[in-house]
Amino acid sequence: MSGSTDRPVRRRTFVLGTAAAAGTAALSGTASAAAFGWSDDGSNYVVDTGANLVFKVRKSNGDLTSLVYRGTEYQGYGGMNSHIESGLGSSTVSIRQSGSTILISVAYGTLRHYYAARSGENNIYLWTNKADTSVSATRYILRTRPGLFLNDEPDSYTYAPTTIEASDVFRKSDGQTRSKHYSKLRVMDYNYVGWSSGGVGLWIVRSNHEKASGGPFYRSLLRHQSADGGGLYEILYYGQNQTEAQRFGLQGPYVIALTDGGAPSSSLFPGTLTTSWADSLGMSGYVGASGRGRVAGVGISGRNTAHAYTVGLANSAAQYWGSARSSDGYFSIGGVLPGTYTLTVFKGELAVYTTSVSVTAGGTTTLNTIAIPSSNDPSNAAAIWRIGDWNGTPSGFKNADLMTYAHPSDVRAASWTGNVVIGNNETASFPCYLWKDVNSGILVYFRLTAAQAAAAHTLRIGVTTAYANGRPQVSVNGAWTSAIPSPPTQPNTRSLTNGSYRGNNNTFTYSVPASAWQTDTSQYNVLKIDVVSGSGTTGYLSAGTAIDAIDLLA
């Protein structure tokens, strides 16, 4: 059912502490596995999978109120249940059994949500059908009791003494920062998130995200832990630093999977999960495998083999992606809903080719070798010097790796200020982000030959996102200053401070006249880059932008 790539999964391992071990006995014995089936305790539908899992769904609102595995309760922290959003409120909840499957249906206004259990499995399959904006965002949060799993991803641990931004970014006494936003991972980088400890693994296996938005490179919160417990997320739509309009329709399945401590079965992963058993359940918006198609490409020529390439499909109704094979660019994306899509080839995260493809139910759309024109990749242009690489990310720039899991004020960050000399480790010296109130006015020093100084040149600055309309204005040697460029379309929420550089890639070009250059070739030319905008506030929430590459063309 998925166009997910076949990428390595990320395993998270936790160590069970003595406090958790001591609490296990107190929580055990609340339910035990018996025969497959369901019952009604008055407030909840109680489902026994006939394996080691018993769970309860509240009849009044569709909350998951209990998750008992091998006699231990895992659900709940802070008196809260697991649910869509922060709970749907009064809903119509029904249950029915069809052979070896039990389906619980939740109706809340125009939204439909489903839980399914299969006989003999320690899994809960979930689908969510959001038809409109009456529910502002769409997430499912699985809340877990405190003390059962200790945290091995400290940057997502949100229990810290000082709040430094909004109500979701914190600083510890040692200067390190924490936030539930700091996941490090793009959607395409993981198949599941969760914890493992004491012979028990608790996971959420993500869906194929066909009805989500943001594409394969989108970053969003995946999980967090605090002193009160932990939360695992399946984000179906999230507005933070979002580049696309919201999509609607049935999303799933995503799976709550419990194991003996190991990773969830790869048979549950997007792209491998087979759910033909769900074809006859009557879920609103459900489309089985026979109603879907595939897109396959023979290969992609014109690639820079030093980079990974991804192929994406997107229209207003759905999105999919797949990796291009490194040897020849072959790709195959299955489980695609019928329709016409924009196909985009990405070098890293930079779009270098687009076309249109149509997909039919039960069919395969086969494409001949895609030839990327040389001019589509800005790296192919001859340059006098270049800082970074044109790949749609700030990779290689100063602090770039850290910024996917830390706040810019984090003690681990190198200084955001400091000038740069071409030929002296310039990429690693140049900060990945520029802000109007932090490091605007950075200077780049470089020399030109007499022939180069005698000609006009084009300067390019590529950015991956911007906050509060931040964009670069440049000057050269104090003798020439560019006009202030118009702001490109970018997300209008936080980005640079919550672990995401991913917005809309844009290239600013500046025509620098020959009169701006130093005529003495022994002297450095000085490029000054300022961040301009009338928006933003102060510090790291002043207008800013993330850098992809900077070059001076020959």
Side-chain angles (χ1 to χ4, degrees):
M1 287 186 62
S2 167
S4 172
T5 58
D6 182 18
R7 290 178 176 269
V9 298
R10 306 295 182 93
R11 180 171 178 176
R12 288 116 167 106
T13 304
F14 290 75
V15 178
L16 183 63
T18 55
T24 298
L27 292 172
S28 65
T30 57
S32 59
F36 176 70
W38 65 273
S39 60
D40 183 340
D41 69 4
S43 299
N44 306 278
Y45 290 122
V46 183
V47 177
D48 193 322
T49 66
N52 295 297
L53 175 63
V54 179
F55 65 93
K56 297 180 181 181
V57 175
R58 180 156 291 167
K59 293 162 58 179
S60 61
N61 59 13
D63 282 5
L64 182 69
T65 61
S66 177
L67 186 70
V68 175
Y69 180 66
R70 293 180 176 170
T72 297
E73 177 68 76
Y74 286 88
Q75 199 293 127
Y77 67 76
M80 294 181 284
N81 298 319
S82 301
H83 38 221
I84 288 288
E85 289 303 286
S86 297
L88 293 176
S90 180
S91 305
T92 300
V93 183
S94 59
I95 189 169
R96 66 186 177 90
Q97 183 171 343
S98 177
S100 59
T101 302
I102 294 172
L103 180 72
I104 297 176
S105 302
V106 182
Y108 175 78
T110 60
L111 185 141
R112 299 294 181 268
H113 180 66
Y114 304 94
Y115 300 88
R118 297 277 289 163
S119 178
E121 295 187 13
N122 293 312
N123 304 316
I124 305 174
Y125 299 85
L126 301 94
W127 288 261
T128 304
N129 188 336
K130 182 177 177 181
D132 52 41
T133 59
S134 58
V135 176
S136 60
T138 307
R139 68 171 186 181
Y140 191 90
I141 177 169
L142 176 63
R143 304 182 190 273
T144 62
R145 288 179 178 269
L148 292 173
F149 302 103
L150 299 183
N151 187 35
D152 77 340
E153 291 283 355
D155 301 293
S156 65
Y157 188 82
T158 58
Y159 187 72
T162 305
T163 303
I164 61 172
E165 184 177 297
S167 59
D168 55 11
V169 184
F170 310 93
R171 178 180 289 115
K172 294 177 59 183
S173 58
D174 64 3
Q176 292 191 13
T177 54
R178 302 287 186 263
S179 176
K180 63 184 180 182
H181 296 289
Y182 297 156
S183 67
K184 302 182 183 180
L185 303 177
R186 307 170 300 176
V187 175
M188 66 182 295
D189 293 331
Y190 71 95
N191 287 315
Y192 61 88
V193 293
W195 299 291
S196 177
S197 181
V200 174
L202 177 61
W203 318 96
I204 282 187
V205 182
R206 72 165 175 86
S207 67
N208 68 351
H209 279 227
E210 71 181 358
K211 295 296 184 179
S213 298
F217 314 124
Y218 190 65
R219 296 175 185 268
S220 186
L221 60 164
L222 301 180
R223 67 178 191 166
H224 79 275
Q225 284 196 313
S226 69
D228 297 325
L232 300 177
Y233 298 90
E234 166 70 341
I235 300 294
L236 303 177
Y237 177 78
Y238 196 58
Q240 197 81 42
N241 207 37
Q242 182 58 253
T243 58
E244 294 185 301
Q246 188 169 182
R247 294 182 172 94
F248 301 104
L250 186 70
Q251 179 66 67
Y254 47 106
V255 186
I256 299 172
L258 289 111
T259 71
D260 61 0
S265 170
S266 60
S267 65
L268 300 176
F269 294 171
T272 62
L273 178 59
T274 300
T275 55
S276 56
W277 50 265
D279 291 356
S280 61
L281 295 179
M283 291 183 290
S284 173
Y286 180 86
V287 179
S290 63
R292 298 168 177 269
R294 177 178 296 274
V295 176
V298 171
I300 303 172
S301 64
R303 293 173 298 119
N304 180 335
T305 56
H307 295 269
Y309 283 72
T310 301
V311 179
L313 302 175
N315 61 21
S316 61
Q319 62 170 8
Y320 307 90
W321 58 83
S323 291
R325 192 161 63 194
S326 60
S327 59
D328 56 9
Y330 167 83
F331 62 91
S332 179
I333 305 172
V336 180
L337 292 170
T340 299
Y341 294 85
T342 296
L343 181 151
T344 304
V345 178
F346 297 93
K347 170 197 175 189
E349 298 182 16
L350 182 67
V352 293
Y353 180 87
T354 61
T355 190
S356 179
V357 296
S358 294
V359 179
T360 58
T364 296
T365 302
T366 302
L367 304 176
N368 293 326
T369 297
I370 293 173
I372 301 174
S374 178
S375 59
N376 284 19
D377 184 346
S379 296
N380 291 330
I384 297 171
W385 53 259
R386 178 169 291 142
I387 305 175
D389 196 359
W390 291 92
N391 61 9
T393 82
S395 175
F397 285 86
K398 183 166 63 175
N399 293 327
D401 290 342
L402 179 66
M403 287 301 96
T404 63
Y405 60 93
H407 190 269
S409 65
D410 195 288
V411 68
R412 293 169 288 180
S415 172
W416 289 104
T417 58
N419 300 322
V420 176
V421 179
I422 297 299
N424 186 22
N425 205 21
E426 60 270 15
T427 300
S429 301
F430 199 102
C432 62
Y433 298 162
L434 299 176
W435 291 271
K436 184 177 181 180
D437 204 33
V438 175
N439 56 354
S440 181
I442 190 169
L443 303 180
V444 178
Y445 293 85
F446 60 96
R447 289 189 175 96
L448 297 176
T449 66
Q452 291 167 342
H457 296 283
T458 296
L459 176 77
R460 303 186 299 185
I461 300 179
V463 302
T464 68
T465 194
Y467 175 69
N469 286 330
R471 65 264 195 204
Q473 183 183 32
V474 302
S475 61
V476 176
N477 295 322
W480 174 86
T481 301
S482 73
I484 297 175
S486 299
T489 299
Q490 296 289 0
N492 59 3
T493 62
R494 287 180 298 160
S495 53
L496 308 182
T497 60
N498 68 358
S500 178
Y501 59 78
R502 177 74 273 125
N504 294 312
N505 288 101
N506 185 76
T507 302
F508 297 94
T509 59
Y510 310 85
S511 298
V512 185
S515 59
W517 309 123
Q518 284 276 6
T519 56
D520 183 348
T521 58
S522 67
Q523 299 297 311
Y524 280 110
N525 288 274
V526 183
L527 168 69
K528 182 183 180 184
I529 305 175
D530 289 300
V531 177
V532 294
S533 175
S535 303
T537 56
T538 60
Y540 297 108
L541 290 178
S542 63
T545 192
I547 304 298
D548 177 13
I550 305 172
D551 57 19
L552 184 68
L553 299 187

